[in-house]
Amino acid sequence: MYTYVTKKMQALAILNAIEDSSWMDAYRISVDTETTSLNPYEARLLLISISTPSDNYVFDMTKLSVAMFKQVLENPHIIKLGHNLTYDYKIFYHHGIALQNMHDTMITDRLIHAVGYKMGFSLADVTKRRLGITRDKSIRDGFINKTNSFFSEEELLYAAEDTSYLHPIYEQQMTEMKKLGLMRVYQLEMSIIAPTAMMEYTGVYVNKDLLSQMKHPFEEHIRIANKALQDLFIAHGAADTIVFSKDGYYCVNTNSTQQIKDMLARVGVNIPTLNVKDVQRWELEQKKSKKKKTDDFSYFDIIDDEEIANAIDQYPGVENKYLRALGFLKGARILLNTFIYGILDRIDNTTGRVHPSFNSLGAMATGRYSSTRPNFQNIPTDKKLQLLGLGAYSIRNCIEASQGKRIIIADFASIELVILAALSNDQHLLEEILRGDVHTFVVREVLNYKDITPQNKKKEPHKFWRDAAKTLSYGIAYGTTGRNISETLNVMLASQGYKITPQDGDALIAKWYSLFPTTANYLNANARKAVLDGYVTDAWGRRRNWDRSTFIDKWKRFAAEREGKNAGIQGSSATMTKRAIQLFWERADKTKARMIICVHDEIVVEADEEYTEQACALLKEAMEQAIKEVLPNVAHDVGKYEGTSVDPKVSVRYDK
DNA sequence: TGGGTTAGCGCG
DNA sequence: AAAGCGCGCTAACCCA
């Protein structure tokens, strides 16, 4: 049963009645919008569906004005239920309405489930799972690009049902969250819907011309590296057929892992996989068995462009010259296709900006944000471009503050070890991190390299050891194994002439654990908890869950142990960032400063030039307060030491 | 032809 | 045989 509302007087009467109910404790309505587009700048509002706990209304927005909804939707005493409210927030904001007091049934279900495997969270999925009702999504899809203003009985009923289901879903969710101790993180998640929606709505200014200028040099690098590989395979007799086209000739599609592996086998390089990690593993084996070289040639003999030949020659990671050229080619290709064409294609026609989606529980197992279309959490650093011999260009520098504004970048510097130490309440580790230099300590005590001092730690060869110590400590926070850490360290320390066996790796982890037994206990306890209880929690009670029935497979169990060690750390880090986002949202002038990107432990804000100083201060304050609230046992030290102080940087672009 | 998966690589 | 955590995107590949 629902009421189809087309007349202004009728609509006002209904909205007034809802407003009158707001004196009730925790009075709630559910809200949904049907629009012609998912882009808030283009979307035409077709229907607004509202359900109270007892009645369903479908408002025909082709006949009614959205302004009359302002009072109800902004009323802080009325809870607004919705599925994926980030979207509805943007739609209403575009019409001058800022939703208040939201309960998002999609985010809440993600929070409750929080598992490491793929699960559906569309309204249809949640309705099916919780109420056993199957929904036909095709009716909803019919609203997109709708040109007329006639609504069928079926469409109206569908809209009304959608909102009516949200009430029983809400009741289930609240009961479950209270039982699971999730209320604190739930409040946090709901409070960042608005800043998340506004981050998407605001978008990021990208200098189109600057980014476009990068196409040609990247294409040249790719063309030359590709030609070099073709020539090599042909010269070494690996080519069956050579195809000639207007762009030159080729014997293999260098994009195809399968074809490349076949070609490599023909020139004597028999390798199972081509990713860097496996290649490094394979190369170590080759060295051990003293196989004779199959790549006895120079890039300078086959590549005319000296600079590119040199860049490939210097490209780090792997030794074998076929594989190195291939790695170089793949690196250049991903940058061109994903980040240059990919971002250019996403510049919005209406705003001239790029509007990525930020999914506040995209990393649904851990609590971190994810970013899509495009992903703004994996923009290459300038170092990557330098390695490709393209250091004259920068993708990050194409992301600019718009006219009269500034970009502010602030991150929690190396917060994960602080979190690990604080969660473990390991006074010794905290002491080393906060008042000393834990990596230098690990160099001396675990790696047994004694020449390092606080003064020379940034100079070679001491820096090598410090980097290795850093890798070991972070590896431990990720639940690394002896075998893995030995391989990683072998690559890092190869130039120093050191070799580490998997057994040595085990010994390093054991030594690290023996120096910080309290932290070791925390990590091992969480590994056990993941397996025995099927969940672990972060500092504010955020849970990550595992399906314990899979643990009869010991490899699944081992994976859960590693994940269990890391989940509390990564979850707490996400909680900290989100708390900072909320505090900044509460305190900053939203018309003068807005978050535009969030990369896990980094918050990027675009602010009016004259408001920059104040925005920096507010951001620093919000982030440092977040550290204190998430890690109360280090609150006393916050702001005093490198690991617990935040130092926002101001620029006209996203440079880091 | 179209959807789902895999391999590889970008970031924290 | 499987072995560091968390993500998303592109091209190739696989199958219907």
Side-chain angles (χ1 to χ4, degrees):
Chain A
M1 279 293 286
Y2 66 92
T3 309
Y4 177 42
V5 188
T6 57
K7 298 276 194 299
K8 187 179 175 185
M9 292 313 287
Q10 187 191 8
L12 283 172
I14 293 163
L15 292 167
N16 281 334
I18 290 172
E19 187 72 15
D20 287 345
S21 304
S22 67
W23 61 268
M24 278 188 259
D25 190 34
Y27 184 74
R28 58 177 195 257
I29 61 172
S30 52
V31 184
D32 190 25
T33 54
E34 304 297 347
T35 57
T36 53
S37 163
L38 296 176
N39 180 339
Y41 292 94
E42 291 173 359
R44 207 154 47 79
L45 203 44
L46 295 172
L47 299 174
I48 294 176
S49 177
I50 291 182
S51 293
T52 68
S54 54
D55 301 295
N56 307 308
Y57 305 98
V58 181
F59 298 87
D60 187 333
M61 300 313 293
T62 67
K63 300 183 173 66
L64 298 165
S65 142
V66 68
M68 70 171 81
F69 291 80
K70 189 175 171 78
Q71 202 170 344
V72 163
L73 295 179
E74 291 188 349
N75 186 329
H77 302 293
I78 303 174
I79 302 170
K80 264 70 69 175
L81 315 183
H83 202 77
N84 191 15
L85 279 168
T86 304
Y87 174 71
D88 301 274
Y89 191 96
K90 288 187 282 184
I91 295 292
F92 283 120
Y93 181 84
H94 195 71
H95 292 94
I97 297 171
L99 273 169
Q100 297 262 346
N101 196 0
M102 294 174 270
H103 172 103
D104 190 320
T105 49
M106 185 180 82
I107 290 174
T108 303
D109 239 42
R110 297 186 101 109
L111 190 66
I112 290 170
H113 286 91
V115 286
Y117 51 86
K118 280 204 172 130
M119 250 182 105
F121 289 96
S122 70
L123 181 54
D125 293 325
V126 175
T127 309
K128 178 85 187 112
R129 205 157 49 223
R130 291 192 170 274
L131 308 178
I133 295 166
T134 307
R135 303 286 286 154
D136 178 6
K137 279 193 215 173
S138 64
I139 300 169
R140 170 163 240 176
D141 294 341
F143 291 114
I144 300 292
N145 297 323
K146 191 180 179 81
T147 47
N148 60 31
S149 354
F150 171 78
F151 300 104
S152 68
E153 183 73 18
E154 195 184 36
E155 285 173 327
L156 294 170
L157 181 64
Y158 186 87
E161 282 175 347
D162 261 4
T163 43
S164 74
Y165 294 143
L166 296 182
H167 287 275
I169 290 171
Y170 167 81
E171 286 159 20
Q172 284 188 17
Q173 289 176 335
M174 293 308 282
T175 309
E176 286 170 27
M177 285 193 297
K178 279 172 194 154
K179 210 158 64 190
L180 296 170
L182 285 171
M183 287 309 287
R184 195 176 189 190
V185 271
Y186 157 75
Q187 297 290 353
L188 179 62
E189 292 294 343
M190 296 307 117
S191 70
I192 60 160
I193 293 171
T196 303
M198 286 311 293
M199 170 161 60
E200 295 183 352
Y201 186 83
T202 306
V204 181
Y205 176 72
V206 173
N207 187 327
K208 197 173 176 174
D209 295 335
L210 198 58
L211 192 54
S212 295
Q213 283 165 20
M214 294 168 61
K215 285 182 201 168
H216 184 254
F218 272 74
E219 275 162 357
E220 271 304 286
H221 268 59
I222 291 163
R223 188 183 64 77
I224 291 168
N226 183 52
K227 182 173 181 299
L229 270 169
Q230 305 291 346
D231 288 344
L232 282 171
F233 287 129
I234 293 166
H236 291 83
D240 274 338
T241 50
I242 302 170
V243 179
F244 291 86
S245 75
K246 62 174 166 53
D247 300 320
Y249 53 88
Y250 63 94
C251 65
V252 57
N253 179 355
T254 49
N255 269 320
S256 165
T257 309
Q258 195 52 57
Q259 290 182 35
I260 282 288
K261 271 196 285 194
D262 291 346
M263 280 293 171
L264 287 169
R266 292 180 194 181
V267 296
V269 180
N270 287 293
I271 186 160
T273 49
L274 296 175
N275 70 72
V276 173
K277 189 89 202 167
D278 288 345
V279 168
Q280 288 173 346
R281 204 168 279 168
W282 175 84
E283 288 193 330
L284 229 66
E285 285 299 312
Q286 298 295 299
K287 258 187 209 163
K288 244 189 256 169
S289 56
K290 296 197 169 65
K291 291 250 175 70
K292 70 173 166 50
K293 282 205 164 194
T294 53
D295 59 340
D296 207 9
F297 57 83
S298 163
Y299 295 122
F300 295 93
D301 296 337
I302 49 163
I303 299 170
D304 295 333
D305 188 313
E306 192 120 345
E307 274 181 44
I308 295 180
N310 191 54
I312 300 177
D313 204 47
Q314 300 296 313
Y315 197 69
V318 296
E319 295 273 316
N320 181 283
K321 287 185 178 168
Y322 291 104
L323 298 171
R324 199 191 308 162
L326 192 65
F328 178 93
L329 176 58
K330 279 193 169 289
R333 267 198 180 128
I334 197 159
L335 260 52
L336 177 64
N337 293 328
T338 304
F339 300 105
I340 298 179
Y341 286 116
I343 291 175
L344 283 170
D345 287 347
R346 294 282 178 193
I347 295 176
D348 188 276
N349 290 328
T350 315
T351 65
R353 294 166 76 99
V354 177
H355 297 263
S357 290
F358 284 91
N359 184 344
S360 62
L361 285 176
M364 56 183 182
T366 62
R368 299 213 299 200
Y369 272 97
S370 73
S371 164
T372 61
R373 294 180 308 169
N375 182 353
F376 258 36
Q377 292 181 323
N378 68 345
I379 306 295
T381 59
D382 291 349
K383 195 184 169 202
K384 193 75 214 173
L385 281 83
Q386 282 159 22
L387 294 178
L388 291 166
L390 290 159
Y393 304 91
S394 165
I395 293 171
R396 288 173 108 96
N397 282 358
C398 298
I399 296 167
E400 294 178 352
S402 52
Q403 198 69 38
K405 295 183 191 290
R406 292 287 182 272
I407 298 262
I408 303 168
I409 307 168
D411 65 5
F412 292 107
S414 57
I415 195 71
E416 293 207 326
L417 279 185
V418 177
I419 291 174
L420 174 60
L423 292 180
S424 311
N425 203 13
D426 185 330
Q427 294 307 316
H428 180 202
L429 183 55
L430 282 171
E431 186 76 19
E432 293 297 341
I433 292 173
L434 298 177
R435 276 146 243 170
D437 176 53
V438 69
H439 302 310
T440 298
F441 178 81
V442 170
V443 169
R444 299 174 68 90
E445 302 303 322
V446 182
L447 301 179
N448 257 322
Y449 176 81
K450 304 287 185 187
D451 292 345
I452 195 165
T453 62
Q455 288 72 39
N456 68 20
K457 69 183 188 188
K458 297 261 164 86
K459 288 184 206 143
E460 300 301 0
H462 317 288
K463 189 180 178 301
F464 260 108
W465 291 99
R466 193 168 176 279
D467 287 346
K470 224 167 143 174
T471 300
L472 175 64
S473 295
Y474 276 93
I476 282 169
Y478 291 151
T480 191
T481 58
R483 177 178 154 229
N484 188 276
I485 199 68
S486 70
E487 282 167 352
T488 308
L489 291 180
N490 267 329
V491 173
M492 294 183 77
L493 299 172
S495 63
Q496 304 291 301
Y498 285 89
K499 282 223 180 77
I500 293 166
T501 65
Q503 291 74 34
D504 296 337
D506 287 333
L508 289 177
I509 296 169
K511 183 79 205 253
W512 199 101
Y513 272 21
S514 75
L515 287 168
F516 302 111
T518 313
T519 300
N521 270 341
Y522 167 84
L523 289 169
N524 289 327
N526 266 358
R528 252 193 325 274
K529 191 168 172 56
V531 173
L532 296 179
D533 298 343
Y535 75 95
V536 304
T537 53
D538 86 339
W540 277 19
R542 185 192 297 281
R543 290 163 73 107
R544 172 171 180 167
N545 304 301
W546 287 267
D547 180 355
R548 292 177 60 235
S549 70
T550 64
F551 292 164
I552 40 169
D553 177 348
K554 68 172 177 180
W555 296 108
K556 292 244 163 66
R557 198 169 69 243
F558 291 163
E561 287 175 349
R562 293 192 302 275
E563 290 155 6
K565 285 179 178 176
N566 182 247
I569 304 168
Q570 211 178 110
S572 302
S573 165
T575 298
M576 190 181 286
T577 301
K578 287 177 172 181
R579 177 60 174 149
I581 288 169
Q582 182 199 3
L583 289 169
F584 184 73
W585 173 254
E586 276 174 7
R587 295 168 182 176
D589 183 337
K590 298 163 189 49
T591 64
K592 294 178 180 166
R594 282 180 197 165
M595 171 172 70
I596 55 169
I597 302 172
C598 172
V599 194
H600 312 310
D601 66 347
E602 169 187 289
I603 296 170
V604 182
V605 167
E606 188 182 45
D608 288 357
E609 197 179 333
E610 61 275 13
Y611 190 67
T612 306
E613 207 174 314
Q614 201 176 340
C616 275
L618 288 169
L619 191 56
K620 178 182 170 71
E621 219 176 287
M623 291 173 78
E624 291 185 352
Q625 184 178 328
I627 302 176
K628 291 182 192 175
E629 290 183 8
V630 174
L631 308 173
N633 57 342
V634 301
H636 180 73
D637 300 299
V638 168
K640 293 186 193 157
Y641 305 100
E642 203 183 350
T644 55
S645 56
V646 177
D647 183 19
K649 296 269 189 294
V650 179
S651 176
V652 289
R653 59 178 69 88
Y654 185 40
D655 53 0
K656 206 189 140 196

